[in-house]
Amino acid sequence: MTQAQGLLFESFQLGAMTLRNRMVMAPLTRNRAGAGLAPTELAVDYYAQRATAGLIIAEATQIRPDGQGYINTPGIYSEAQVAAWKNVTDAVHAKGGRIVLQLWHVGRISHVSLQENGQRPVAPSAIQAKAQTFVAEGMVDVSEPRALELDEIPTLIEDYRKSALNAVRAGFDAVEVHAANGYLLDEFLRDGANQRTDAYGGSIENRARLLLEVMQACCDAIGADKVGVRLSPVSPFNDLKDSHPQPLFNYVVEALNTLSPLYIHVIEGATGGDRKVDPTFDFRALRDRFHGVYMANNGYDKASAEAALKDDAADLVAFGRPFIANPDLVRRYALDAPLNELNPATLYGGGAEGYTDYPALDEQGA
Ligand code: PHB
């Protein structure tokens, strides 16, 4: 790898971690958790196969049971889940890799069949999203949520804090607070989903309050140099709308500066889609405002990632789908080798097929 040309293959100091390269594996939902919503031995292989990434961000993982919105996504709230994740982090570390856990609460993007006693999912306000989720019966419309009561918010923040501590006990190098893609923390940020009239709704300051309090709690618990955050300022994913994303996210990033988190991880465009969905939004303004590490994501390939690093538009670049189909993506990019094709049919749920059986170059006789 030392011969590889390009900024992508340079090492990078991220908090206390020295990353071997600047390629990050993005968090990817694969719906393959086992009993008790714990990762299985297959997940251990899957992540270990991808340990040559400079950093792995493990899939979105529930902080508590009502944070689940899809079938068979893992959690980090039970002792069995902590123990199972420890197998994953040990395997990645044994190969010299680094791994972060993404802390997730889906908010209103859930279905009563996934909730205890069939209760309604929780959200900032009782506004149903025009979105679908994947449950035992297949794809269904998400359920109508109920608004979180003001006195439920301290417990919610405490559950993020406990999850951050659990992640560290499970051997993760850091956590990433999921504040993107129309899930709970993103819902609080946006005026299209948050119509609260208390301290957590209304003004930009109020809508950003929950995210900032969650970040503060996680930073206090495990250290700010172990807490990153993911944002998707313009993504319409999961029916999320906001009237003025630029001032909202300018404010969020400036407020985050006061906490000095490990990084911001920014989905630049529509999640998994069009990078130009809102051509008026200035991502460079976020990059320039933020005093720490900026991780870029969405539709990058080797050439566009190299260009972003060269232009100083990013410090790190996260790749999603390319890492699903290519466990040795770093080596393939370094050698300009051809990539495996992704099979969309095996993305969500199932077993080894489309999960741990994508071959590395060596296994293809290259
Ligand atoms: C999904 O399950 O489709 C999913 C989960 C988390 C995301 C985005 C998509 O951030």
Side-chain angles (χ1 to χ4, degrees):
M1 205 58 65
T2 48
Q3 267 77 309
Q5 293 294 305
L7 297 170
L8 272 177
F9 311 105
E10 289 185 351
S11 71
F12 186 84
Q13 194 64 33
L14 180 65
M17 298 178 259
T18 306
L19 310 185
R20 290 186 290 199
N21 55 66
R22 296 163 81 177
M23 290 176 63
V24 177
M25 178 179 169
L28 296 154
T29 289
R30 305 304 309 274
N31 308 84
R32 283 166 169 86
L37 299 179
T40 64
E41 279 305 307
L42 267 185
V44 175
D45 291 346
Y46 166 74
Y47 284 113
Q49 286 172 349
R50 288 155 180 78
T52 55
L55 183 69
I56 292 171
I57 303 169
E59 67 210 78
T61 296
Q62 290 95 245
I63 62 158
R64 63 186 198 184
D66 73 355
Q68 185 182 2
Y70 303 84
I71 194 165
N72 296 337
T73 54
I76 187 69
Y77 49 84
S78 76
E79 284 308 306
Q81 290 162 349
V82 170
W85 277 118
K86 184 73 167 53
N87 296 332
V88 171
T89 61
D90 282 348
V92 170
H93 290 150
K95 291 190 152 188
R98 296 291 189 173
I99 184 164
V100 168
L101 186 65
Q102 195 190 45
L103 302 183
W104 196 25
H105 191 302
V106 297
R108 66 181 185 168
I109 305 301
S110 187
H111 188 261
V112 289
S113 69
L114 294 165
Q115 298 287 324
E116 246 171 79
N117 306 319
Q119 68 196 4
R120 285 196 282 163
V122 297
S125 302
I127 305 168
Q128 190 173 3
K130 289 184 188 63
Q132 290 213 310
T133 179
F134 182 49
V135 300
E137 294 75 41
M139 294 299 289
V140 292
D141 290 345
V142 299
S143 302
E144 187 187 331
R146 71 169 177 88
L148 274 166
E149 301 291 341
L150 187 59
D151 66 6
E152 292 178 290
I153 288 186
T155 307
L156 176 65
I157 295 168
E158 174 62 11
D159 289 335
Y160 274 97
R161 193 185 76 87
K162 281 188 200 149
S163 300
L165 288 165
N166 282 349
V168 168
R169 283 199 297 126
F172 285 97
D173 296 294
V175 300
E176 174 175 287
V177 171
H178 194 345
N181 293 343
Y183 300 113
L184 184 66
L185 295 175
D186 203 9
E187 291 160 18
F188 269 83
L189 288 175
R190 313 301 184 121
D191 57 18
N194 180 347
Q195 293 178 5
R196 301 178 73 91
T197 52
D198 59 17
Y200 293 90
S203 64
I204 283 177
E205 288 79 357
N206 281 359
R207 282 182 276 131
R209 188 178 312 283
L210 180 60
L211 169 60
L212 296 170
E213 290 181 355
V214 165
M215 289 295 292
Q216 179 81 62
C218 292
C219 290
D220 288 348
I222 65 172
D225 67 342
K226 290 198 177 67
V227 184
V229 57
R230 196 175 203 211
L231 307 169
S232 58
V234 298
S235 185
F237 193 66
N238 282 325
D239 190 33
L240 207 57
K241 297 182 189 76
D242 191 77
S243 338
H244 300 102
Q246 189 84 55
L248 170 63
F249 282 90
N250 287 352
Y251 172 80
V252 165
V253 159
E254 272 170 16
L256 286 170
N257 277 332
T258 65
L259 300 175
S260 304
L262 182 62
Y263 62 74
I264 59 170
H265 178 184
V266 182
I267 300 173
E268 299 167 331
T271 308
D274 186 5
R275 288 182 57 83
K276 300 263 147 54
V277 61
D278 179 357
T280 67
F281 194 90
D282 183 1
F283 286 99
R284 188 77 200 205
L286 294 193
R287 199 282 192 270
D288 291 343
R289 262 189 174 75
F290 187 57
H291 298 160
V293 170
Y294 181 99
M295 184 188 297
N297 173 239
N298 217 32
Y300 281 95
D301 59 13
K302 180 185 172 182
S304 57
E306 234 357 273
L309 296 179
K310 190 154 177 282
D311 293 347
D312 199 30
D315 299 301
L316 297 168
V317 181
F319 303 87
R321 283 164 295 190
F323 261 117
I324 291 180
N326 299 278
D328 56 346
L329 185 67
V330 176
R331 181 148 182 256
R332 287 174 191 257
Y333 275 179
L335 298 174
D336 283 318
L339 301 185
N340 294 324
E341 216 173 294
L342 180 85
N343 178 5
T346 52
L347 282 176
Y348 303 113
E353 191 195 349
Y355 192 49
T356 51
D357 66 352
Y358 285 107
L361 277 176
D362 294 336
E363 294 155 347
Q364 291 174 317

